[in-house]
Amino acid sequence: MGQWLLEARELASDRLVGVLVGNKCDRQEDREVSFLEASRFAQENDLVFLETSALYGDGVQEVFAKCARRVLSKLSDGLLDLDKITISTPCGPLASRP
């Protein structure tokens, strides 16, 4: 996970808003990473951490809401400039897509 995060930060802005989502919280018996371990990793790497259950929809909206609040906070603090943000996908920039 640490290597992936380093690569994401190299390819994105250093002001990246990161969210670590632990899915399948409805399957506690299959857990591979403890809540504490994931929380600690998120805190050490300036990430928002939430657990969700896509099966039941638990926590899914909260992920997007917390991410949006973090982006808005960075915008209001002057840490992000919308005019300098480019959104890309593996297929290229979104702006150039039909």
Side-chain angles (χ1 to χ4, degrees):
M1 181 66 111
Q3 182 60 36
W4 178 88
L5 185 56
L6 285 173
E7 290 174 14
R9 287 190 168 141
E10 285 176 12
L11 296 171
S13 164
D14 59 339
R15 293 174 177 89
L16 174 77
V17 174
V19 181
L20 178 62
V21 180
N23 191 26
K24 300 187 185 216
C25 68
D26 53 283
R27 300 193 52 182
Q28 291 295 320
E29 68 279 1
D30 296 329
R31 181 180 282 278
E32 293 184 21
V33 178
S34 73
F35 181 88
L36 183 60
E37 182 182 359
S39 295
R40 205 173 279 146
F41 179 86
Q43 188 173 22
E44 290 169 357
N45 290 281
D46 192 31
L47 301 170
V48 174
F49 172 64
L50 295 159
E51 290 192 318
T52 66
S53 168
L55 179 64
Y56 298 110
D58 297 340
V60 175
Q61 288 183 344
E62 188 179 1
V63 169
F64 292 100
K66 283 201 175 202
C67 184
R69 279 195 290 276
R70 198 129 192 227
V71 169
L72 289 173
S73 176
K74 287 189 175 205
L75 284 169
S76 69
D77 292 346
L79 297 174
L80 288 178
D81 182 352
L82 286 178
D83 294 328
K84 295 181 181 176
I85 294 176
T86 304
I87 300 172
S88 295
T89 68
C91 298
L94 287 177
S96 66
R97 299 181 83 187

Coordinates of all heavy atoms in Angstrom, one line a residue:
M1 N 0.8 -1.2 0.0 CA 0.0 0.0 0.0 C 0.9 1.3 0.0 O 0.6 2.2 -0.7 CB -0.9 0.0 1.2 CG -1.8 1.2 1.3 SD -3.0 1.2 0.0 CE -4.5 0.9 0.9
G2 N 1.9 1.2 0.8 CA 2.8 2.4 0.8 C 3.4 2.8 -0.5 O 3.5 3.9 -0.9
Q3 N 3.9 1.8 -1.3 CA 4.5 2.0 -2.6 C 3.4 2.6 -3.5 O 3.7 3.5 -4.3 CB 5.1 0.7 -3.2 CG 5.7 1.0 -4.5 CD 6.9 1.9 -4.4 OE1 7.6 2.0 -3.4 NE2 7.1 2.7 -5.5
W4 N 2.2 2.1 -3.5 CA 1.2 2.6 -4.4 C 0.9 4.0 -4.0 O 0.7 4.9 -4.9 CB -0.1 1.7 -4.2 CG -1.2 2.2 -5.0 CD1 -1.5 1.9 -6.3 CD2 -2.2 3.2 -4.6 NE1 -2.6 2.6 -6.7 CE2 -3.1 3.4 -5.7 CE3 -2.5 3.9 -3.4 CZ2 -4.2 4.3 -5.7 CZ3 -3.5 4.8 -3.4 CH2 -4.4 4.9 -4.5
L5 N 0.8 4.4 -2.8 CA 0.6 5.8 -2.4 C 1.7 6.7 -2.8 O 1.4 7.8 -3.3 CB 0.4 5.8 -0.8 CG 0.0 7.1 -0.2 CD1 -1.3 7.7 -0.9 CD2 -0.2 7.0 1.3
L6 N 2.9 6.3 -2.7 CA 4.0 7.1 -3.2 C 3.9 7.4 -4.7 O 4.1 8.5 -5.1 CB 5.4 6.4 -2.9 CG 5.9 6.4 -1.5 CD1 7.1 5.5 -1.3 CD2 6.1 7.8 -1.0
E7 N 3.6 6.3 -5.4 CA 3.4 6.5 -6.9 C 2.2 7.4 -7.2 O 2.4 8.3 -8.1 CB 3.2 5.1 -7.5 CG 4.5 4.3 -7.5 CD 4.2 2.9 -8.1 OE1 3.2 2.6 -8.7 OE2 5.1 2.0 -7.9
A8 N 1.2 7.3 -6.5 CA 0.0 8.2 -6.7 C 0.4 9.6 -6.4 O 0.0 10.5 -7.2 CB -1.2 7.7 -5.8
R9 N 1.1 9.8 -5.4 CA 1.5 11.2 -5.0 C 2.5 11.8 -6.0 O 2.6 13.0 -6.3 CB 2.1 11.3 -3.6 CG 0.9 11.1 -2.6 CD 1.3 11.4 -1.2 NE 0.2 11.5 -0.4 CZ 0.1 11.0 0.9 NH1 1.1 10.4 1.4 NH2 -1.1 11.2 1.5
E10 N 3.4 10.9 -6.6 CA 4.3 11.4 -7.6 C 3.6 11.8 -8.9 O 4.0 12.8 -9.5 CB 5.3 10.3 -8.0 CG 6.4 10.1 -6.9 CD 7.3 8.9 -7.3 OE1 7.3 8.4 -8.4 OE2 8.1 8.5 -6.4
L11 N 2.5 11.1 -9.2 CA 1.8 11.3 -10.5 C 0.7 12.5 -10.3 O 0.3 13.1 -11.3 CB 1.1 10.1 -10.9 CG 2.0 8.9 -11.4 CD1 1.2 7.7 -11.6 CD2 2.8 9.3 -12.6
A12 N 0.3 12.7 -9.1 CA -0.7 13.7 -8.8 C 0.0 14.9 -8.1 O 1.2 15.0 -8.0 CB -1.8 13.1 -7.9
S13 N -0.8 15.8 -7.7 CA -0.4 16.9 -6.9 C 0.1 16.5 -5.5 O -0.4 15.5 -5.0 CB -1.5 18.0 -6.8 OG -1.2 18.9 -5.8
D14 N 1.0 17.3 -4.9 CA 1.3 17.0 -3.5 C 0.2 17.3 -2.6 O 0.2 17.0 -1.4 CB 2.6 17.7 -3.2 CG 2.5 19.2 -3.3 OD1 1.7 19.7 -4.0 OD2 3.4 19.9 -2.7
R15 N -0.8 18.0 -3.2 CA -2.0 18.3 -2.4 C -3.1 17.3 -2.6 O -4.3 17.7 -2.4 CB -2.4 19.7 -2.7 CG -1.4 20.8 -2.3 CD -1.8 22.2 -2.8 NE -0.8 23.1 -2.3 CZ 0.3 23.5 -2.9 NH1 0.6 22.9 -4.0 NH2 1.1 24.4 -2.4
L16 N -2.8 16.2 -3.0 CA -3.7 15.1 -3.3 C -4.6 14.9 -2.0 O -4.1 14.9 -0.9 CB -2.9 13.8 -3.5 CG -3.7 12.5 -3.7 CD1 -4.4 12.4 -5.0 CD2 -2.8 11.3 -3.5
V17 N -5.9 14.7 -2.3 CA -6.8 14.4 -1.2 C -7.0 12.9 -1.3 O -7.6 12.3 -2.3 CB -8.2 15.1 -1.4 CG1 -9.2 14.6 -0.4 CG2 -8.0 16.6 -1.3
G18 N -6.5 12.2 -0.3 CA -6.5 10.7 -0.3 C -7.5 10.2 0.7 O -7.7 10.7 1.8
V19 N -8.2 9.1 0.2 CA -9.2 8.4 1.1 C -8.9 6.9 1.0 O -8.8 6.3 -0.1 CB -10.6 8.7 0.5 CG1 -11.6 8.0 1.4 CG2 -10.9 10.2 0.4
L20 N -8.7 6.4 2.2 CA -8.5 4.9 2.3 C -9.8 4.3 2.7 O -10.3 4.6 3.8 CB -7.4 4.6 3.3 CG -7.0 3.2 3.6 CD1 -6.5 2.5 2.4 CD2 -6.0 3.1 4.8
V21 N -10.3 3.4 1.9 CA -11.6 2.8 2.2 C -11.4 1.3 2.4 O -10.9 0.6 1.5 CB -12.6 3.1 1.0 CG1 -13.9 2.4 1.3 CG2 -12.7 4.5 0.7
G22 N -11.9 0.9 3.6 CA -11.9 -0.6 3.9 C -13.3 -1.1 3.5 O -14.2 -0.7 4.2
N23 N -13.4 -1.8 2.5 CA -14.7 -2.3 2.1 C -15.0 -3.7 2.7 O -14.1 -4.3 3.3 CB -14.8 -2.5 0.5 CG -16.1 -2.7 0.0 OD1 -17.1 -2.4 0.6 ND2 -16.2 -3.4 -1.1
K24 N -16.2 -4.1 2.6 CA -16.7 -5.3 3.2 C -16.7 -5.4 4.7 O -16.4 -6.4 5.3 CB -16.0 -6.5 2.6 CG -16.1 -6.6 1.0 CD -15.5 -7.8 0.5 CE -15.6 -7.7 -1.1 NZ -15.9 -8.9 -1.8
C25 N -17.0 -4.3 5.3 CA -17.0 -4.3 6.8 C -18.1 -5.2 7.3 O -18.1 -5.5 8.5 CB -17.1 -2.9 7.3 SG -18.7 -2.1 7.1
D26 N -19.0 -5.6 6.5 CA -20.0 -6.6 6.8 C -19.5 -8.0 7.0 O -20.2 -8.9 7.4 CB -21.2 -6.6 5.8 CG -20.7 -6.8 4.4 OD1 -20.1 -5.8 3.8 OD2 -20.8 -7.9 3.9
R27 N -18.2 -8.2 6.6 CA -17.6 -9.6 6.7 C -16.4 -9.6 7.6 O -15.3 -9.8 7.2 CB -17.2 -10.0 5.3 CG -18.4 -10.0 4.3 CD -18.1 -10.6 3.0 NE -17.5 -12.0 3.3 CZ -17.2 -12.8 2.3 NH1 -17.3 -12.4 1.0 NH2 -16.6 -13.9 2.5
Q28 N -16.7 -9.2 8.9 CA -15.6 -9.1 9.9 C -14.8 -10.4 10.0 O -13.6 -10.4 10.3 CB -16.3 -8.8 11.2 CG -16.8 -7.4 11.3 CD -15.8 -6.3 11.2 OE1 -14.7 -6.4 11.8 NE2 -16.1 -5.3 10.5
E29 N -15.4 -11.6 9.8 CA -14.7 -12.8 9.9 C -13.6 -13.0 8.9 O -12.7 -13.8 9.1 CB -15.7 -14.0 9.9 CG -16.4 -14.2 8.6 CD -17.6 -13.3 8.3 OE1 -17.9 -12.5 9.1 OE2 -18.2 -13.5 7.2
D30 N -13.7 -12.3 7.8 CA -12.7 -12.4 6.7 C -11.7 -11.2 6.7 O -10.9 -11.1 5.8 CB -13.4 -12.4 5.3 CG -14.3 -13.6 5.2 OD1 -14.0 -14.6 5.7 OD2 -15.4 -13.5 4.5
R31 N -11.7 -10.4 7.8 CA -10.9 -9.2 7.9 C -9.4 -9.6 7.8 O -9.0 -10.6 8.4 CB -11.1 -8.5 9.2 CG -10.3 -7.3 9.4 CD -10.6 -6.6 10.7 NE -11.8 -5.8 10.7 CZ -11.9 -4.6 10.2 NH1 -10.9 -4.0 9.7 NH2 -13.1 -4.0 10.2
E32 N -8.6 -8.9 7.0 CA -7.2 -9.2 6.8 C -6.4 -8.0 7.5 O -5.2 -8.2 7.8 CB -6.8 -9.3 5.4 CG -7.4 -10.6 4.8 CD -7.0 -10.8 3.3 OE1 -5.9 -10.3 2.9 OE2 -7.7 -11.6 2.6
V33 N -7.0 -6.9 7.6 CA -6.3 -5.7 8.2 C -7.2 -5.2 9.3 O -8.4 -5.0 9.1 CB -6.1 -4.6 7.1 CG1 -5.4 -3.4 7.8 CG2 -5.2 -5.1 6.0
S34 N -6.6 -5.0 10.5 CA -7.4 -4.5 11.6 C -7.8 -3.1 11.4 O -7.1 -2.3 10.7 CB -6.7 -4.7 12.9 OG -5.6 -3.7 13.0
F35 N -8.9 -2.7 12.1 CA -9.3 -1.3 12.0 C -8.2 -0.4 12.5 O -7.9 0.7 11.9 CB -10.6 -1.1 12.8 CG -11.1 0.3 12.8 CD1 -12.0 0.7 11.8 CD2 -10.7 1.2 13.8 CE1 -12.5 2.0 11.8 CE2 -11.2 2.5 13.8 CZ -12.1 2.9 12.8
L36 N -7.6 -0.8 13.6 CA -6.5 0.0 14.2 C -5.3 0.2 13.2 O -4.8 1.3 13.1 CB -6.0 -0.6 15.5 CG -5.0 0.2 16.3 CD1 -5.5 1.6 16.6 CD2 -4.6 -0.6 17.5
E37 N -4.9 -0.9 12.6 CA -3.8 -0.9 11.6 C -4.1 0.1 10.5 O -3.3 0.9 10.0 CB -3.5 -2.3 11.1 CG -2.3 -2.3 10.2 CD -2.1 -3.8 9.7 OE1 -2.8 -4.7 10.1 OE2 -1.1 -3.9 8.9
A38 N -5.3 0.0 9.9 CA -5.7 0.8 8.8 C -5.8 2.3 9.2 O -5.4 3.2 8.5 CB -7.0 0.3 8.2
S39 N -6.4 2.5 10.4 CA -6.5 3.9 10.9 C -5.1 4.5 11.1 O -4.9 5.7 10.8 CB -7.3 3.9 12.2 OG -8.6 3.5 12.1
R40 N -4.2 3.7 11.7 CA -2.9 4.3 11.9 C -2.2 4.6 10.6 O -1.6 5.6 10.4 CB -2.1 3.2 12.7 CG -1.0 3.8 13.5 CD -0.3 2.7 14.3 NE -1.1 2.5 15.5 CZ -1.2 1.4 16.2 NH1 -0.6 0.3 15.7 NH2 -1.9 1.3 17.3
F41 N -2.3 3.7 9.6 CA -1.7 3.9 8.3 C -2.3 5.2 7.7 O -1.5 6.0 7.1 CB -1.9 2.7 7.3 CG -1.4 3.0 6.0 CD1 0.0 2.6 5.7 CD2 -2.1 3.5 4.9 CE1 0.5 2.8 4.5 CE2 -1.6 3.7 3.7 CZ -0.3 3.4 3.4
A42 N -3.6 5.4 7.7 CA -4.2 6.5 7.2 C -3.7 7.8 7.9 O -3.4 8.8 7.2 CB -5.8 6.4 7.3
Q43 N -3.7 7.8 9.2 CA -3.2 9.0 9.9 C -1.8 9.3 9.6 O -1.5 10.5 9.4 CB -3.4 8.7 11.4 CG -3.1 9.9 12.2 CD -3.5 9.7 13.7 OE1 -3.5 8.6 14.2 NE2 -3.7 10.8 14.4
E44 N -0.9 8.3 9.5 CA 0.5 8.5 9.2 C 0.7 9.1 7.8 O 1.7 9.7 7.5 CB 1.3 7.3 9.4 CG 1.4 6.8 10.8 CD 2.0 5.4 11.0 OE1 2.2 4.7 9.9 OE2 2.1 5.0 12.1
N45 N -0.3 8.8 6.9 CA -0.1 9.2 5.5 C -1.1 10.3 5.1 O -1.3 10.5 3.9 CB -0.3 8.0 4.6 CG 0.9 7.1 4.8 OD1 2.0 7.3 4.2 ND2 0.8 6.0 5.6
D46 N -1.7 11.0 6.0 CA -2.6 12.1 5.8 C -3.8 11.7 4.9 O -4.1 12.3 3.9 CB -1.9 13.3 5.1 CG -2.7 14.5 5.1 OD1 -3.6 14.7 6.0 OD2 -2.6 15.4 4.2
L47 N -4.4 10.5 5.2 CA -5.5 10.0 4.4 C -6.8 10.0 5.3 O -6.7 9.8 6.5 CB -5.3 8.6 4.0 CG -4.0 8.3 3.1 CD1 -3.8 6.8 2.9 CD2 -4.2 9.0 1.8
V48 N -7.9 10.2 4.7 CA -9.2 9.9 5.4 C -9.4 8.4 5.4 O -9.2 7.8 4.4 CB -10.3 10.6 4.7 CG1 -11.7 10.3 5.3 CG2 -10.1 12.1 4.7
F49 N -9.8 7.8 6.5 CA -10.1 6.4 6.6 C -11.5 6.1 7.0 O -12.0 6.7 8.0 CB -9.1 5.7 7.5 CG -9.5 4.2 7.7 CD1 -9.5 3.3 6.7 CD2 -9.9 3.8 8.9 CE1 -9.8 2.0 6.8 CE2 -10.3 2.4 9.1 CZ -10.2 1.5 8.1
L50 N -12.2 5.3 6.2 CA -13.5 4.9 6.5 C -13.7 3.4 6.1 O -13.0 3.0 5.2 CB -14.6 5.7 5.7 CG -14.6 7.2 6.1 CD1 -15.2 8.0 5.0 CD2 -15.4 7.4 7.4
E51 N -14.6 2.8 6.8 CA -15.0 1.4 6.4 C -16.4 1.4 5.8 O -17.2 2.2 6.3 CB -14.9 0.5 7.6 CG -13.5 0.2 8.1 CD -13.4 -0.9 9.0 OE1 -14.3 -1.0 9.9 OE2 -12.5 -1.7 8.9
T52 N -16.6 0.6 4.8 CA -17.9 0.6 4.1 C -18.3 -0.9 3.9 O -17.5 -1.8 4.0 CB -17.8 1.2 2.7 OG1 -16.9 0.5 1.9 CG2 -17.3 2.7 2.8
S53 N -19.6 -1.0 3.6 CA -20.1 -2.2 3.1 C -20.9 -1.9 1.8 O -22.0 -1.3 1.8 CB -21.1 -2.9 4.0 OG -21.8 -3.9 3.4
A54 N -20.2 -2.2 0.6 CA -20.9 -1.9 -0.6 C -22.2 -2.7 -0.8 O -23.2 -2.3 -1.3 CB -20.0 -2.1 -1.8
L55 N -22.1 -3.9 -0.2 CA -23.3 -4.8 -0.2 C -24.5 -4.2 0.4 O -25.6 -4.3 -0.2 CB -22.9 -6.1 0.5 CG -24.0 -7.2 0.6 CD1 -24.4 -7.7 -0.8 CD2 -23.6 -8.4 1.5
Y56 N -24.4 -3.5 1.5 CA -25.5 -2.9 2.2 C -25.5 -1.4 2.1 O -26.5 -0.8 2.5 CB -25.4 -3.3 3.7 CG -25.6 -4.8 4.0 CD1 -24.5 -5.5 4.4 CD2 -26.8 -5.4 3.7 CE1 -24.6 -6.9 4.6 CE2 -26.9 -6.8 3.9 CZ -25.8 -7.5 4.4 OH -25.9 -8.9 4.6
G57 N -24.5 -0.8 1.5 CA -24.5 0.6 1.3 C -24.0 1.4 2.5 O -24.0 2.6 2.5
D58 N -23.5 0.7 3.5 CA -23.1 1.3 4.7 C -21.8 2.1 4.5 O -20.8 1.6 4.0 CB -22.8 0.3 5.8 CG -24.1 -0.5 6.2 OD1 -25.2 0.0 6.0 OD2 -23.9 -1.6 6.8
G59 N -21.9 3.4 4.9 CA -20.7 4.3 4.8 C -20.3 4.8 3.4 O -19.4 5.6 3.3
V60 N -21.0 4.3 2.4 CA -20.5 4.7 1.0 C -20.7 6.2 0.8 O -19.8 6.9 0.3 CB -21.3 3.9 0.0 CG1 -21.0 4.4 -1.4 CG2 -21.0 2.4 0.1
Q61 N -21.9 6.8 1.2 CA -22.1 8.2 1.0 C -21.1 9.0 1.8 O -20.7 10.1 1.4 CB -23.5 8.6 1.3 CG -24.5 8.1 0.2 CD -25.9 8.5 0.5 OE1 -26.3 8.9 1.7 NE2 -26.8 8.5 -0.5
E62 N -20.8 8.5 3.0 CA -19.9 9.2 3.9 C -18.5 9.4 3.3 O -17.9 10.4 3.5 CB -19.8 8.5 5.3 CG -19.1 9.2 6.3 CD -19.0 8.5 7.6 OE1 -19.5 7.4 7.8 OE2 -18.4 9.1 8.5
V63 N -18.1 8.4 2.5 CA -16.8 8.4 1.9 C -16.7 9.7 1.0 O -15.8 10.5 1.0 CB -16.5 7.1 1.1 CG1 -15.3 7.3 0.2 CG2 -16.3 6.0 2.0
F64 N -17.8 9.8 0.1 CA -17.8 10.9 -0.8 C -18.0 12.2 -0.1 O -17.3 13.2 -0.5 CB -18.9 10.7 -1.9 CG -18.6 9.5 -2.8 CD1 -19.1 8.3 -2.6 CD2 -17.7 9.7 -3.8 CE1 -18.9 7.2 -3.4 CE2 -17.4 8.6 -4.7 CZ -18.0 7.4 -4.5
A65 N -18.8 12.3 0.9 CA -19.0 13.5 1.7 C -17.7 14.0 2.3 O -17.3 15.2 2.3 CB -20.1 13.3 2.7
K66 N -17.0 13.0 3.0 CA -15.7 13.4 3.7 C -14.7 13.9 2.7 O -13.9 14.8 2.9 CB -15.2 12.3 4.5 CG -16.0 12.1 5.8 CD -15.2 11.4 6.8 CE -16.0 11.4 8.1 NZ -15.2 11.2 9.3
C67 N -14.6 13.2 1.5 CA -13.7 13.6 0.5 C -14.0 15.0 0.0 O -13.1 15.8 -0.1 CB -13.7 12.6 -0.6 SG -12.4 12.9 -1.9
A68 N -15.3 15.2 -0.3 CA -15.7 16.6 -0.8 C -15.4 17.6 0.3 O -14.9 18.7 -0.1 CB -17.2 16.5 -1.1
R69 N -15.6 17.4 1.6 CA -15.3 18.3 2.6 C -13.9 18.6 2.7 O -13.4 19.8 2.9 CB -15.9 17.9 4.0 CG -17.3 18.1 4.2 CD -17.8 17.9 5.6 NE -17.7 16.6 6.1 CZ -18.7 15.6 5.9 NH1 -19.8 16.0 5.3 NH2 -18.5 14.4 6.4
R70 N -13.0 17.6 2.5 CA -11.6 17.8 2.5 C -11.1 18.7 1.4 O -10.3 19.6 1.5 CB -10.9 16.5 2.5 CG -9.5 16.5 3.0 CD -9.2 15.5 4.0 NE -8.0 15.7 4.7 CZ -7.1 14.7 4.9 NH1 -7.4 13.5 4.6 NH2 -6.0 14.9 5.5
V71 N -11.7 18.4 0.2 CA -11.4 19.2 -1.0 C -11.8 20.7 -0.8 O -11.0 21.6 -1.0 CB -12.0 18.7 -2.3 CG1 -11.9 19.6 -3.4 CG2 -11.4 17.3 -2.6
L72 N -13.0 20.9 -0.3 CA -13.5 22.2 0.0 C -12.6 23.0 1.0 O -12.4 24.2 0.9 CB -15.0 22.2 0.5 CG -16.0 21.8 -0.6 CD1 -17.4 21.7 0.0 CD2 -16.0 22.9 -1.7
S73 N -12.2 22.2 2.0 CA -11.3 22.8 3.0 C -10.0 23.3 2.4 O -9.5 24.4 2.7 CB -11.1 21.8 4.1 OG -10.2 22.3 5.1
K74 N -9.4 22.5 1.6 CA -8.2 22.8 0.9 C -8.4 24.0 -0.1 O -7.5 24.9 -0.2 CB -7.6 21.6 0.2 CG -7.0 20.6 1.1 CD -6.2 19.5 0.4 CE -5.5 18.6 1.5 NZ -4.4 18.0 1.0
L75 N -9.5 24.0 -0.7 CA -9.8 25.2 -1.6 C -9.9 26.5 -0.8 O -9.3 27.5 -1.1 CB -11.1 25.0 -2.3 CG -11.1 24.0 -3.5 CD1 -12.5 23.7 -4.0 CD2 -10.2 24.6 -4.7
S76 N -10.7 26.4 0.3 CA -10.8 27.6 1.2 C -9.5 28.1 1.8 O -9.4 29.2 2.1 CB -12.0 27.4 2.2 OG -11.6 26.5 3.2
D77 N -8.6 27.1 2.1 CA -7.4 27.5 2.7 C -6.3 27.9 1.7 O -5.2 28.2 2.0 CB -6.8 26.2 3.5 CG -7.6 25.9 4.7 OD1 -8.4 26.7 5.2 OD2 -7.4 24.8 5.3
G78 N -6.7 27.9 0.4 CA -5.8 28.3 -0.7 C -4.8 27.2 -1.1 O -3.8 27.5 -1.8
L79 N -5.0 26.0 -0.6 CA -4.1 24.9 -0.9 C -4.3 24.3 -2.3 O -3.5 23.6 -2.8 CB -4.1 23.9 0.2 CG -3.7 24.4 1.5 CD1 -3.9 23.3 2.6 CD2 -2.2 24.9 1.5
L80 N -5.5 24.5 -2.8 CA -5.9 24.0 -4.2 C -6.4 25.1 -5.0 O -7.0 26.0 -4.5 CB -7.0 22.9 -4.1 CG -6.7 21.6 -3.5 CD1 -7.9 20.7 -3.4 CD2 -5.6 20.9 -4.3
D81 N -6.0 25.1 -6.3 CA -6.4 26.1 -7.3 C -7.2 25.4 -8.4 O -6.5 24.6 -9.1 CB -5.2 26.9 -7.8 CG -5.6 28.0 -8.8 OD1 -6.8 28.1 -9.2 OD2 -4.7 28.8 -9.1
L82 N -8.5 25.5 -8.5 CA -9.3 24.8 -9.5 C -8.8 25.1 -10.9 O -8.9 24.2 -11.8 CB -10.7 25.2 -9.4 CG -11.5 24.6 -8.2 CD1 -12.9 25.1 -8.2 CD2 -11.4 23.1 -8.2
D83 N -8.2 26.2 -11.2 CA -7.7 26.6 -12.5 C -6.5 25.8 -12.9 O -6.1 25.7 -14.0 CB -7.4 28.1 -12.6 CG -8.7 28.9 -12.5 OD1 -9.8 28.4 -12.9 OD2 -8.6 30.0 -12.0
K84 N -5.8 25.1 -11.9 CA -4.6 24.4 -12.2 C -4.8 22.9 -12.0 O -3.8 22.2 -12.1 CB -3.5 24.9 -11.2 CG -3.1 26.3 -11.5 CD -2.0 26.7 -10.5 CE -1.6 28.2 -10.8 NZ -0.7 28.7 -9.8
I85 N -6.0 22.5 -11.8 CA -6.3 21.0 -11.7 C -6.7 20.4 -13.0 O -7.6 20.9 -13.7 CB -7.4 20.8 -10.6 CG1 -6.9 21.3 -9.2 CG2 -7.8 19.4 -10.6 CD1 -7.9 21.2 -8.2
T86 N -6.0 19.3 -13.3 CA -6.4 18.5 -14.5 C -6.8 17.2 -14.0 O -6.1 16.5 -13.3 CB -5.2 18.4 -15.4 OG1 -4.7 19.7 -15.8 CG2 -5.5 17.6 -16.7
I87 N -8.0 16.7 -14.5 CA -8.5 15.4 -14.2 C -8.2 14.5 -15.3 O -8.6 14.7 -16.4 CB -10.0 15.4 -13.9 CG1 -10.2 16.4 -12.7 CG2 -10.5 14.0 -13.6 CD1 -11.7 16.6 -12.4
S88 N -7.5 13.4 -15.0 CA -7.1 12.5 -16.1 C -7.6 11.1 -15.7 O -7.8 10.8 -14.5 CB -5.6 12.4 -16.3 OG -5.1 13.6 -16.8
T89 N -7.8 10.2 -16.7 CA -8.1 8.8 -16.5 C -7.1 8.0 -17.3 O -6.2 8.6 -18.0 CB -9.5 8.6 -17.1 OG1 -9.4 8.7 -18.5 CG2 -10.6 9.5 -16.6
P90 N -7.1 6.7 -17.2 CA -6.1 5.9 -18.0 C -6.3 6.2 -19.5 O -5.3 5.9 -20.2 CB -6.5 4.5 -17.6 CG -7.1 4.6 -16.2 CD -7.8 5.9 -16.2
C91 N -7.4 6.7 -19.9 CA -7.6 7.0 -21.3 C -7.3 8.4 -21.7 O -7.4 8.8 -22.8 CB -9.1 6.7 -21.6 SG -9.6 5.1 -21.4
G92 N -6.8 9.2 -20.7 CA -6.4 10.6 -21.0 C -7.3 11.5 -20.3 O -8.1 11.2 -19.5
P93 N -7.0 12.8 -20.5 CA -7.8 13.9 -19.8 C -9.3 13.8 -20.1 O -9.7 13.5 -21.2 CB -7.2 15.2 -20.3 CG -5.9 14.8 -20.9 CD -6.0 13.4 -21.4
L94 N -10.1 14.1 -19.1 CA -11.5 14.0 -19.2 C -12.0 15.1 -20.2 O -13.0 14.9 -20.9 CB -12.2 14.2 -17.9 CG -12.1 12.9 -16.9 CD1 -12.8 13.3 -15.6 CD2 -12.8 11.7 -17.6
A95 N -11.4 16.2 -20.1 CA -11.8 17.4 -21.0 C -11.8 17.1 -22.4 O -12.6 17.6 -23.2 CB -11.0 18.6 -20.7
S96 N -10.9 16.2 -22.9 CA -10.8 15.9 -24.3 C -11.7 14.7 -24.8 O -11.7 14.4 -25.9 CB -9.3 15.6 -24.6 OG -8.9 14.4 -24.0
R97 N -12.4 14.1 -23.8 CA -13.3 13.0 -24.2 C -14.6 13.5 -24.7 O -15.1 14.5 -24.3 CB -13.5 12.1 -23.0 CG -12.2 11.5 -22.5 CD -12.4 10.7 -21.3 NE -12.8 9.4 -21.9 CZ -13.2 8.4 -21.1 NH1 -13.3 8.5 -19.8 NH2 -13.5 7.2 -21.6
P98 N -15.2 12.8 -25.7 CA -16.5 13.2 -26.3 C -17.6 13.1 -25.3 O -17.6 12.4 -24.4 CB -16.7 12.3 -27.5 CG -15.7 11.2 -27.3 CD -14.6 11.6 -26.3

